[in-house]
Amino acid sequence: MVSSLRGLKAKVDRRSQTISSIVDKRTREMAFELDGPDRVEPEDIPAEWTEVADATVLYSIHVSYDVTSGAGFSFSLDGTKLATASAFAARLAERVDGTVIDPQTYEPQPEPQPEPQPQRPRFLHLRWYRLLDDTHDKDLAAIYLRTAREFFRPGVPSRFGTHEPFQGRFPRDDDATFDAMYRANCYLGDLILAGKPIEHGTIDGWTNDLERRTQSIRLKFELDRLEKLKALDAIEPFFVALAERTGAFFAFAEVNTNRYGTAHPLMDVKLEDPWSGLPTAPQWMTWFEPEYAEMVAPHLDPIRTKANGQGTLHRWTEHPAEAEELLRLSGDPWIPAGFRGVLDPAGDGRCAEAAAVMPASLRYPAPESPQALRIEAHYARVREIEANARNRAAEGRR
């Protein structure tokens, strides 16, 4: 199949009898990567990919791109390589009676909505944040799994990994495999959690990548599933326990009818502060570390708060409630504007300016202060590591 496209050559690893790379015959540069075939099970295929619902085999085709580090994230892509990879994908799909899907651009065909429309499902979005300044916090996955097993069984994923098809599976694998996969493979990338009742979940990579100084854990559940499992009462104990054990400075539980969380204001990567500020709208539950809790306490109903030495929980209602209901209870704004990030006028949900009021630890430290010098020293070490890795890769290509 590779040879049928003019100008391509497949390099084969004779020991494993697999294609190690596909190169341009003229330039000898890699044209694209080809992985597979990998056997897939029905649960490995996203539900919206109806065209390939019965697929049993997956080929993955990847085109490399150059990433530019600096004030923001940017990348460049070789259009010729992309066109070559696309042509090969189409020809391979034709040969094996398959279908080509690009997960980055795929849009499922809209399904006709019955009349009257059924009630939209509600989702629970949970998110925890902790600082990640100059330490390699490789313990986050182990803490998560241990806490989920103890307090919230629906939070234990049946499948997990860094990409699809997922490499890990419970109960086939043990908990040590989950921890080891995170430590070995999530230097920058996320560990992805999947399998009902988890709709989607991620645990941030464990090192500072010069773009962020926070780690977060994100989970999404369909509320009806949790209700059928009689798990609603376990949400708060799990939410608090994970916040305490991870040292989270802030966490929230959002309820909405959107498959995506809408509460967290996205930080503009040009801002030096690691934290944008509190959500614009009230959330069903929020957690604050002690310093943050002391600052927001005058603006929260003490009847709805529970405090201990590790932080404070604020919960508006006993039942899971959406922002619209919470606004009727709290009034608008639910917290003074100074605690919230200033949204970009472009309306894309990002912050143009960090909140004016937050704990000092969540701001970039004053220039030349010990903390700033420590963070800059960490940045310098990471840059050196990345430069050495690029040099070794270049030597290898020679």
Side-chain angles (χ1 to χ4, degrees):
M1 282 300 305
V2 174
S3 301
S4 69
L5 282 175
R6 182 179 179 183
L8 293 183
K9 179 180 179 180
K11 290 189 175 182
V12 178
D13 185 326
R14 298 188 182 280
R15 179 175 298 180
S16 63
Q17 286 299 300
T18 59
I19 293 177
S20 59
S21 62
I22 298 175
V23 300
D24 186 296
K25 286 183 178 179
R26 181 177 59 83
T27 65
R28 298 184 181 276
E29 292 182 350
M30 179 181 290
F32 56 89
E33 298 176 19
L34 172 65
D35 295 330
D38 295 313
R39 187 172 299 280
V40 293
E41 302 295 337
E43 62 265 30
D44 295 324
I45 301 173
E48 62 269 27
W49 292 8
T50 55
E51 303 95 322
V52 294
D54 298 325
T56 58
V57 170
L58 170 70
Y59 290 87
S60 300
I61 298 171
H62 309 273
V63 180
S64 61
Y65 56 88
D66 295 322
V67 176
T68 302
S69 299
F73 175 86
S74 64
F75 68 92
S76 58
L77 180 67
D78 188 323
T80 301
K81 291 182 180 179
L82 179 60
T84 302
S86 298
F88 175 78
R91 189 165 296 187
L92 177 60
E94 181 179 4
R95 177 69 63 87
V96 301
D97 193 24
T99 302
V100 178
I101 287 184
D102 183 349
Q104 299 171 103
T105 59
Y106 177 81
E107 292 186 4
Q109 293 295 323
E111 297 181 0
Q113 298 294 323
E115 293 293 342
Q117 291 187 358
Q119 184 177 1
R120 297 177 64 184
R122 294 198 302 165
F123 296 93
L124 172 68
H125 305 270
L126 301 174
R127 196 154 180 177
W128 296 261
Y129 299 87
R130 73 174 180 178
L131 275 176
L132 176 62
D133 276 340
D134 57 354
T135 58
H136 289 180
D137 293 322
K138 300 181 184 180
D139 59 350
L140 197 54
I143 293 173
Y144 171 80
L145 184 58
R146 184 170 66 251
T147 307
R149 288 202 183 281
E150 183 177 349
F151 290 91
F152 195 63
R153 295 292 299 184
V156 178
S158 60
R159 295 177 293 133
F160 56 91
T162 56
H163 58 274
E164 295 188 28
F166 294 117
Q167 304 85 59
R169 189 182 299 270
F170 287 134
R172 181 195 67 189
D173 301 318
D174 58 19
D175 290 5
T177 300
F178 185 84
D179 179 42
M181 183 181 296
Y182 179 73
R183 292 173 182 269
N185 302 322
C186 297
Y187 176 78
L188 291 179
D190 298 340
L191 183 64
I192 305 171
L193 316 180
K196 302 298 183 184
I198 298 175
E199 289 283 327
H200 185 70
T202 57
I203 302 177
D204 279 355
W206 48 259
T207 193
N208 191 331
D209 60 1
L210 306 184
E211 297 292 348
R212 62 191 172 92
R213 283 175 50 217
T214 60
Q215 269 184 313
S216 68
I217 297 175
R218 310 171 190 83
L219 291 176
K220 176 176 65 175
F221 299 92
E222 190 171 332
L223 268 177
D224 283 349
R225 290 183 180 274
L226 296 181
E227 190 169 8
K228 290 176 182 177
L229 293 171
K230 302 185 184 305
L232 294 185
D233 289 342
I235 296 172
E236 180 184 314
F238 170 62
F239 179 72
V240 172
L242 190 57
E244 292 175 343
R245 293 178 178 184
T246 58
F249 63 84
F250 179 70
F252 69 82
E254 177 184 14
V255 178
N256 64 16
T257 55
N258 194 322
R259 289 189 176 273
Y260 302 96
T262 60
H264 178 236
L266 300 174
M267 270 306 268
D268 189 318
V269 294
K270 296 182 177 64
L271 292 176
E272 290 185 324
D273 290 321
W275 175 241
S276 56
L278 300 182
T280 301
Q283 302 307 316
W284 177 41
M285 291 193 294
T286 47
W287 167 269
F288 304 90
E289 56 84 26
E291 185 180 3
Y292 222 151
E294 184 177 355
M295 299 174 74
V296 300
H299 309 287
L300 301 179
D301 185 346
I303 297 177
R304 294 185 167 97
T305 60
K306 300 176 186 178
N308 60 34
Q310 295 176 273
T312 296
L313 170 75
H314 182 271
R315 176 170 173 168
W316 282 104
T317 59
E318 289 300 314
H319 62 278
E322 298 177 49
E324 183 178 350
E325 178 182 351
L326 300 180
L327 281 171
R328 292 195 294 268
L329 294 172
S330 66
D332 189 12
W334 73 281
I335 198 84
F339 287 90
R340 296 175 282 135
V342 179
L343 295 181
D344 191 323
D348 62 354
R350 290 186 175 273
C351 277
E353 184 180 343
V357 182
M358 67 174 73
S361 60
L362 303 184
R363 292 205 177 280
Y364 196 87
E368 303 302 320
S369 68
Q371 186 183 8
L373 294 176
R374 189 177 74 248
I375 294 172
E376 287 302 325
H378 166 69
Y379 286 178
R381 291 194 298 271
V382 174
R383 292 188 188 98
E384 182 179 1
I385 292 171
E386 292 179 342
N388 291 338
R390 287 194 296 270
N391 292 337
R392 287 194 298 270
E395 290 294 330
R397 288 194 293 271
R398 294 196 190 103

